[in-house]
């Protein structure tokens, strides 16, 4: 019972590098989202998707791109990494009936 | 806009003590309210929820009541255990977006 799977769990980047955080879910949920977690600030929504081919911005979208070509996958791309993007990133999918979010285990990103 | 405010932590309690973590919200209408818990090194998981005013959500000995008069959703537990040590997040549902509070760290000492 995999649920939501995120990779990688840890990543160190240099300023200006790019990378993609992968997220996959096996629950056939239409809604998926990316959050970042910073000390004292809780979780802030970066981008979300209500289904394949549909994405929208959350509270803090700048510096991040997303796409949703399949129901299962929702990758998050950092095109030009900056130290301000050092954070823990969580992917989540949402049960359509209960509204419950199911979270991955998180990806800790450090930008030097 | 919609927002959630939680009491700052950390909250440090002895085992079997009574727990209250305060949560208040600002929202239009009557959104669903949630408490999520994050254990060390893990993602968040749903602890309990309430979907309308005066609803009480409960799970694992934790309870929270949706109070529209005071716009609050305080988390309570009568007797905490060491295993309850975690970070607790209050959240509200805002049109496909879950808005989280800043989290409250709970540390329970034996």
């Amino acid at each position: 019972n995999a649920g939501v799977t995120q990779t990688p769990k840890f990543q160190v980047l240099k300023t200006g590098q790019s990378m993609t955080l992968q997220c996959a879910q096996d629950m056939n949920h239409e809604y998926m989202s990316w959050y970042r977690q910073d000390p004292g600030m809780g979780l802030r929504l970066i981008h979300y998707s209500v289904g394949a081919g549909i994405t929208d911005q959350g509270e803090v979208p700048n510096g991040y791109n997303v796409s949703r070509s399949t129901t299962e996958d929702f990758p998050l791309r950092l095109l030009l990494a900056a130290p301000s993007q050092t954070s823990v990133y969580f992917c989540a999918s949402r049960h359509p009936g209960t509204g419950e979010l199911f979270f991955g285990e998180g990806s800790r990103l450090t930008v030097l | 806009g919609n927002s959630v405010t939680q009491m700052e932590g950390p909250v440090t309690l002895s085992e079997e003590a009574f727990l209250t973590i305060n949560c208040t919200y600002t929202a239009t209408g009557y959104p669903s309210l949630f408490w999520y818990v994050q254990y060390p090194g893990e993602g968040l998981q749903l602890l309990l929820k309430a979907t309308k005013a005066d609803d009480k959500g409960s799970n694992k000995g934790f309870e929270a009541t949706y109070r529209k008069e005071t716009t609050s959703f305080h988390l309570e537990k009568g007797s905490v255990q060491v295993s309850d040590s975690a970070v607790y997040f209050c959240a509200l549902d805002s049109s496909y977006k879950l808005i989280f509070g800043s989290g409250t760290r709970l540390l329970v000492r034996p």
Side-chain angles (χ1 to χ4, degrees):
Chain A
N1 194 0
V4 179
T5 304
Q6 288 182 235
T7 56
K9 285 187 168 42
F10 300 94
Q11 183 72 48
V12 178
L13 290 178
K14 294 180 180 178
T15 297
Q17 288 185 319
S18 63
M19 76 158 300
T20 299
L21 298 177
Q22 302 290 346
C23 176
Q25 54 97 3
D26 61 1
M27 296 172 281
N28 202 34
H29 290 164
E30 293 291 334
Y31 179 95
M32 296 184 73
S33 55
W34 277 101
Y35 287 86
R36 58 178 289 173
Q37 182 178 25
D38 301 293
M41 302 187 76
L43 278 77
R44 293 180 292 169
L45 182 64
I46 305 171
H47 285 285
Y48 66 100
S49 168
V50 299
I54 306 169
T55 64
D56 206 346
Q57 297 180 350
E59 182 185 356
V60 288
N62 292 342
Y64 307 95
N65 277 352
V66 292
S67 59
R68 186 89 181 275
S69 56
T70 67
T71 299
E72 294 77 19
D73 299 301
F74 191 43
L76 179 72
R77 297 183 184 84
L78 287 72
L79 297 179
L80 288 171
S84 60
Q85 294 177 304
T86 293
S87 187
V88 181
Y89 292 86
F90 287 97
C91 179
S93 69
R94 180 180 173 129
H95 188 284
T98 66
E100 177 181 354
L101 286 184
F102 292 83
F103 284 85
E105 293 184 345
S107 300
R108 182 175 294 275
L109 174 66
T110 301
V111 183
L112 302 175
Chain B
N2 296 347
S3 66
V4 175
T5 302
Q6 282 181 244
M7 63 186 289
E8 287 197 23
V11 174
T12 303
L13 296 173
S14 298
E15 206 165 24
E16 300 184 1
F18 184 86
L19 168 71
T20 300
I21 299 179
N22 290 337
C23 170
T24 57
Y25 66 90
T26 301
T28 53
Y30 301 104
S32 294
L33 300 173
F34 303 81
W35 276 101
Y36 280 81
V37 58
Q38 183 181 31
Y39 298 104
E42 299 183 8
L44 281 71
Q45 54 188 275
L46 180 66
L47 180 60
L48 54 84
K49 65 180 276 191
T51 57
K52 61 184 186 296
D54 299 325
D55 258 5
K56 178 185 283 187
S58 60
N59 186 25
K60 300 181 181 179
F62 291 90
E63 293 183 340
T65 301
Y66 191 139
R67 303 272 188 213
K68 69 175 182 179
E69 321 82 49
T70 53
T71 60
S72 64
F73 193 54
H74 304 322
L75 183 68
E76 297 181 335
K77 187 175 185 182
S79 176
V80 294
Q81 307 299 313
V82 172
S83 56
D84 293 327
S85 297
V87 182
Y88 293 81
F89 292 91
C90 186
L92 69 82
D93 192 350
S94 177
S95 302
Y96 284 114
K97 307 172 192 177
L98 221 59
I99 297 175
F100 288 87
S102 57
T104 302
R105 182 176 299 279
L106 170 65
L107 177 60
V108 180
R109 301 192 183 281

